[in-house]
Amino acid sequence: MSMRKRTVVMISGRGSNMTALIAAATNPDYPAEIVGVISDRVNAAGLGIAAARGIATKVISRADYTSKEAHDGAIDAALVSFGAEIVALAGYMRILGAHFVEKWLGRMINIHPALLPAFKGLDTHARAIRAGIRIHGCTVHFVTLDMDDGPIIAQAAVPVMVGDNEDMLAARVLKAEHRLYPLALGLVAEGKARMEGGRTVLAHFADDADNSTSVIMAPDPLREETDLEHLARITP
């Protein structure tokens, strides 16, 4: 097997998707190695989780720099010091500048809690409920200059259940995120998913045949007991 791709995860908070990536990378056959975690917030809970797992961490706070460009430059320098080959944004809540994004184009990925291109930006679950959609989910995509607009690598869908509130839906989507992000990072690290000509190209990759017949429907009500007398009346 080829060398594992050195991956740095960038966070701003609890780091639950970071934790899922770290867990996946504990398997020596996983094609990516998490070599560092960068946060823009000193109190991000994910920093402690990463440190407890023996992963180097670094805080690069925007308040410590005179400009956005200087802040981006410090992040870039940290990535270089980690020997990063892939950057995985996992709840990183700050918009990165054009020069930074262009340098890491095709090597930086992000997870978004919606089925892009729907519901870009914040408050995706509340907006999904207000819109009355019945299928929601999450997306891993390459990062480009436009927010939440890069080529899609992988998606996972979940039903919006009758009676869901924002927190209930968010929890369901988060479980899907924790499965999807390691899969997508693995595809990128193995070279099976790459950004080319503004699109994601999948190569040397076979999808699970069961995917072609899988269906999520919502609402999908509980089946009632069969009324045999009714069936007898309508059956010739």
Side-chain angles (χ1 to χ4, degrees):
M1 182 176 177
S2 61
M3 294 290 291
R4 303 169 77 195
K5 293 292 185 181
R6 295 177 64 84
T7 301
V8 174
V9 183
M10 293 176 57
I11 65 171
S12 292
R14 62 188 175 182
S16 69
N17 274 304
M18 172 208 74
T19 304
L21 295 179
I22 291 172
T26 60
N27 183 339
D29 291 329
Y30 188 70
E33 176 188 8
I34 310 303
V35 297
V37 170
I38 293 173
S39 173
D40 65 325
R41 297 177 181 173
V42 69
N43 61 347
L47 291 169
I49 295 171
R53 286 158 176 76
I55 295 172
T57 64
K58 188 172 183 63
V59 176
I60 306 177
S61 173
R62 172 68 180 87
D64 293 335
Y65 297 87
T66 57
S67 68
K68 179 179 178 61
E69 292 73 20
H71 185 231
D72 284 353
I75 297 170
D76 180 66
L79 292 172
V80 171
S81 71
F82 281 128
E85 297 171 279
I86 298 174
V87 181
L89 307 183
Y92 187 74
M93 300 304 292
R94 188 170 294 278
I95 296 175
L96 296 161
H99 180 73
F100 181 93
V101 171
E102 287 170 354
K103 175 175 179 178
W104 291 94
L105 198 65
R107 297 182 291 158
M108 182 161 54
I109 63 177
N110 178 55
I111 189 161
H112 181 72
L115 292 173
L116 293 174
F119 304 113
K120 298 177 182 180
L122 301 176
D123 303 320
T124 59
H125 309 306
R127 290 159 59 201
I129 290 173
R130 286 198 299 270
I133 67 167
R134 302 263 57 95
I135 304 295
H136 192 39
C138 50
T139 303
V140 179
H141 64 97
F142 287 106
V143 176
T144 57
L145 295 178
D146 294 325
M147 185 180 68
D148 300 331
D149 197 47
I152 292 169
I153 300 166
Q155 292 183 304
V158 302
V160 181
M161 305 296 284
V162 175
D164 265 352
N165 60 33
E166 180 181 355
D167 291 339
M168 294 162 66
L169 182 56
R172 189 175 307 116
V173 172
L174 190 62
K175 288 182 180 180
E177 292 179 41
H178 294 167
R179 294 177 58 189
L180 184 71
Y181 211 177
L183 178 143
L185 174 59
L187 290 177
V188 174
E190 285 188 290
K192 292 180 177 179
R194 68 182 188 277
M195 183 175 167
E196 189 174 287
R199 298 176 59 249
T200 295
V201 176
L202 295 174
H204 311 293
F205 172 76
D207 204 353
D208 187 340
D210 289 342
N211 276 348
S212 66
T213 58
S214 61
V215 176
I216 294 177
M217 291 192 299
D220 192 9
L222 293 173
R223 300 294 180 261
E224 297 179 357
E225 292 184 8
T226 303
D227 186 338
L228 296 179
E229 290 185 6
H230 176 68
L231 286 176
R233 288 195 297 270
I234 66 175
T235 302

